[in-house]
Every structure is written in C-alpha cells, then in structure tokens.
Amino acid sequence: MSSVIRRTARRLGAVAVAAVLLGGATSAQAVPATTHTAATGTTAGSGTVTTPAVLDLALTHTGLTLPVTGHRPGWLTFRATTADASGHYLSILKLAPGVTVNDVNTLMGQVTSADPAISVPAVQRLYRDVEFNGGVSVQAGKPVSVSVNLEPGTYHVVESSASWTSGRPPYYAQTLEISGDRLTVRPPAHDAVLLAATLGGKPAFIAPSEVDHDPAYLVANLTASPQEAIFRPVAPGTTDAAIQAYYDAEKAGAPLPSPFTGRAGGMLPISPGKIAVVRFENSAPGEYAVSSFTRDPQTAERNAYNGMHRVIDQG
C-alpha cells in the first residue's frame, strides 16, 4: 500500500479504502465511421495477460464502431482521440433490465431542470438504473485513456459531442459484450491516487497537490453516488477557495470571471465502490482544477458546487 493510501486509510478508515482498492482489482443507431485499433495486451503464459488490452477509438461526429465481442472479464483500456474542436464524451454504461440508452438520454436532460420536482427524481432514477463504468472527456489533439475492471455482462458504450454540434444525433451507442473466463491482468501503472470521498458530510477529492506532467491517476469512488474527475487548466496561483467562490457565484446567478484557461478533459463517472485509471497525453504543463459535476441525489445540485474540486499542479 502506497504512502498516499496509508495516510488516507488513517483518515477515512482502512477497511473502506481496502475494499475499493483490493476488491476493484479483483436510440440512435451506430454507423461505421469511428475508427478503432483491435484490442491488444501483453501476454505472459497461457491465460495470463500482464497489461490490459487497449481499444483505440478515434471519435468523430459520424458514428461509433468498436468490436462488440471477444472481450473477457477484467481490466480493459479505452483510449480516445479526436480531431474535432468540439471534443467528445465516451461513457461505458451497464443498464438495468428494460432500461435503454434513450431512457438514459431522457433522464440526463431532466436532471438539469430548475424544478427539483423533476430533477431530483431523475437523478435518483438515473443512479438506480445505471451502473457507471467510467469513460472519457477528450479534446482535439489530447488523447485520454481510461482503464476499467469489467465484470461479465452487456455494456453500452455511448458517444456524444462535448459541445453542441449541428447535424448530428444526440448520441451514438454500441453494445459491448464481456464474457468468458477472467483474465489475470494487472491494473495499469499510475502516478498518483485520487480519492472521491465524503468529508464532514460533503463530497471532496483527496489528492496530492503536485504530480508529474501527463499523469495517470488511480481514481477510487468512496462516496455513495457516482463521481467523475474532469480536469480544466486554471491560471497560475488559483486556489481551491477561488474555485469555490467561482462555483458559489455561478450557483447564485452572478458569475465571476472564470479562473479556467482552457477546455476540459478527464474521466466520466464511476459508480460507488469502483476504481479506474485515467491517463493524459499531450496535456499542457501547469495547474488544473479537477471537479466532479455529477449530481447530488437529494438536491440535484452539481457536486462541484458543494466542494468536489481540487487544484493540482501537473508539472
């Protein structure tokens, strides 16, 4: 156990941390347009793969395609790139029986309603009906990878534009079948641990203040609802207090000048108790604010507004 995890175990409780880190280790139509490279892994003897297979996905506005079958339970890496200025989202979802991707898309619209009578039930149903297995937010020329530990079952890989783009459907989706014997695969290497936790009754990130350039984070969700890790560059010297002041003002409808200096990238939500490894490529060195914009199931407010953010110097 690393020193970061040891310190966190003392603060949050060793049992909770170990359960996550050790347990985790154990209606648009898709059209052929997105390119992919077949998943490959490094093997070491029969039935053993020492590194996760990688699905290389070049995301576009004209469709999504990836190998549906041939994936065994265990760690799998999704590496996303794009040339589009809009950026893209790619989510990995496991749905409750009878729930469709179109249902999820409808709920995602409802959670943004200003009426709590609409937004709060939508958030609660979304969290009940969807198991979130990560995904990526990726910008042009800055690849992002997410590695997740998938159990057997049917998953839905869903792509959407990170900003409004005319002439395309709201999403493309394709199923991904995970079946067969579990591969013996080590989690990908990581440079730092990023814990989504609840401290003093509020959501918070526990993370180092400095990491190397183009880092890989092991992200563990110790909270009771889905959390994400979205990174945006900020002006040098920006503090967590300044980020909170910005979110407070935005919530109050009187926004302050933005502390952000660029577009966002990172990992989309993982459900409670899950872990993932997110890796950045070609990111600019400097300070970043990591935030989780998932919604509180009792209020439908964004968790970032209530303290779910942290400034980190990434080289």
Side-chain angles (χ1 to χ4, degrees):
M1 182 182 289
S2 73
S3 60
V4 172
I5 299 173
R6 280 197 295 271
R7 291 195 297 272
T8 304
R10 288 196 293 270
R11 191 171 182 183
L12 296 180
V15 173
V17 175
V20 173
L21 297 182
L22 298 181
T26 46
S27 108
Q29 296 294 315
V31 297
T34 299
T35 61
H36 71 269
T37 301
T40 58
T42 304
T43 60
S46 178
T48 298
V49 177
T50 59
T51 60
V54 178
L55 287 173
D56 262 308
L57 302 172
L59 303 181
T60 73
H61 291 302
T62 55
L64 173 68
T65 182
L66 67 159
V68 175
T69 60
H71 309 290
R72 291 165 62 181
W75 285 91
L76 182 62
T77 296
F78 297 78
R79 180 179 180 271
T81 61
T82 187
D84 297 326
S86 63
H88 290 265
Y89 298 135
L90 187 80
S91 299
I92 307 156
L93 311 176
K94 196 174 187 181
L95 308 182
V99 177
T100 67
V101 175
N102 199 51
D103 293 334
V104 174
N105 187 59
T106 298
L107 290 171
M108 292 293 286
Q110 292 174 347
V111 302
T112 64
S113 172
D115 183 355
I118 297 174
S119 60
V120 171
V123 173
Q124 293 174 352
R125 183 181 167 191
L126 188 68
Y127 291 176
R128 180 196 69 190
D129 291 348
V130 180
E131 177 187 286
F132 294 87
N133 291 275
V136 299
S137 170
V138 61
Q139 299 297 329
K142 298 180 179 180
V144 179
S145 300
V146 65
S147 301
V148 289
N149 190 10
L150 298 179
E151 298 296 330
T154 298
Y155 294 79
H156 296 266
V157 181
V158 183
E159 178 276 336
S160 60
S161 179
S163 58
W164 185 84
T165 303
S166 64
R168 60 155 292 163
Y171 65 86
Y172 294 104
Q174 186 174 326
T175 57
L176 182 75
E177 297 293 338
I178 304 294
S179 61
D181 295 332
R182 175 173 290 277
L183 289 169
T184 302
V185 181
R186 299 190 187 102
H190 58 275
D191 305 301
V193 175
L194 178 63
L195 298 181
T198 303
L199 300 177
K202 292 186 176 183
F205 279 120
I206 300 174
S209 58
E210 297 181 10
V211 297
D212 291 335
H213 177 230
D214 274 346
Y217 293 93
L218 186 150
V219 185
N221 183 3
L222 306 184
T223 74
S225 60
Q227 302 293 346
E228 62 187 0
I230 302 299
F231 291 75
R232 293 182 70 182
V234 295
T238 300
T239 64
D240 290 307
I243 297 295
Q244 187 61 53
Y246 174 79
Y247 287 142
D248 288 344
E250 188 175 72
K251 179 180 174 182
L256 297 172
S258 175
F260 303 110
T261 60
R263 305 195 60 182
M267 184 198 77
L268 297 187
I270 54 175
S271 288
K274 290 188 174 294
I275 63 174
V277 176
V278 58
R279 179 177 295 277
F280 296 90
E281 300 176 38
N282 298 339
S283 62
E287 297 175 27
Y288 287 74
V290 55
S291 302
S292 178
F293 298 100
T294 58
R295 306 260 173 177
D296 184 296
Q298 305 306 318
T299 65
E301 289 184 351
R302 295 181 184 274
N303 285 306
Y305 288 167
N306 295 315
M308 197 72 178
H309 52 79
R310 177 87 159 103
V311 175
I312 303 174
D313 187 342
Q314 295 188 167

